[in-house]
Amino acid sequence: MCEANAYMIDGNREELIMEAVDSVEPEEGGFRLVNLFGEQKFVRGTIHSLSLVDHKVYFKKAAGS
Amino acid sequence: MCEANAYMIDGNREELIMEAVDSVEPEEGGFRLVNLFGEQKFVRGTIHSLSLVDHKVYFKKAAGS
């Protein structure tokens, strides 16, 4: 399976938001994450970068939030 | 391997930008894509959504561009 873990970049730190993320869909002010287990989480911010072979999706907070 | 294909959303169409994408890194005005074969491509726009189990990364053009 090609799921990934989602992280929020906070300065030099990476905070794990959610594991085994499948879909990431835009919503007002951020993104709705859904993982392989059907769990959902809303993330405020934007998608910063991807490293898919490492199974990583990075988010960052929107400017000013 | 957990690479994905990158698509640009253009209205109702999805245009394939690059196959077998590994990393997506922010650059001025867009993102630099690198695939498993070491090929690189610059995409002007933002990351719209992800569907990782389907191996798909969607971009859309930035507003006004």
Side-chain angles (χ1 to χ4, degrees):
Chain A
M1 296 296 277
C2 267
E3 77 292 351
N5 293 335
Y7 299 86
M8 178 64 74
I9 297 175
D10 182 10
N12 291 325
R13 294 178 51 231
E14 300 173 2
E15 178 193 355
L16 180 64
I17 302 170
M18 191 180 221
E19 295 183 298
V21 173
D22 170 18
S23 82
V24 177
E25 289 289 335
E27 248 182 44
E28 181 66 33
F31 290 87
R32 169 123 351 236
L33 280 56
V34 182
N35 73 7
L36 294 183
F37 315 113
E39 298 168 337
Q40 298 192 20
K41 190 172 277 191
F42 177 74
V43 175
R44 190 168 300 277
T46 61
I47 301 173
H48 175 265
S49 60
L50 310 174
S51 184
L52 296 173
V53 171
D54 293 333
H55 297 247
K56 291 184 172 180
V57 175
Y58 294 103
F59 291 84
K60 65 173 182 180
K61 292 189 169 69
S65 68
Chain B
M1 295 294 277
C2 268
E3 79 291 351
N5 293 335
Y7 299 87
M8 177 64 74
I9 297 175
D10 183 10
N12 292 324
R13 293 177 51 231
E14 299 172 2
E15 179 193 355
L16 180 64
I17 302 169
M18 189 180 222
E19 294 182 299
V21 173
D22 171 17
S23 82
V24 177
E25 289 289 335
E27 246 182 46
E28 181 67 32
F31 290 86
R32 173 138 328 252
L33 281 56
V34 182
N35 73 6
L36 295 183
F37 315 112
E39 298 167 337
Q40 298 192 19
K41 191 172 278 191
F42 176 75
V43 176
R44 189 167 300 279
T46 61
I47 302 173
H48 175 264
S49 59
L50 310 174
S51 183
L52 297 173
V53 170
D54 292 333
H55 297 246
K56 290 183 174 182
V57 175
Y58 294 103
F59 290 84
K60 64 173 182 178
K61 292 188 168 68
S65 67

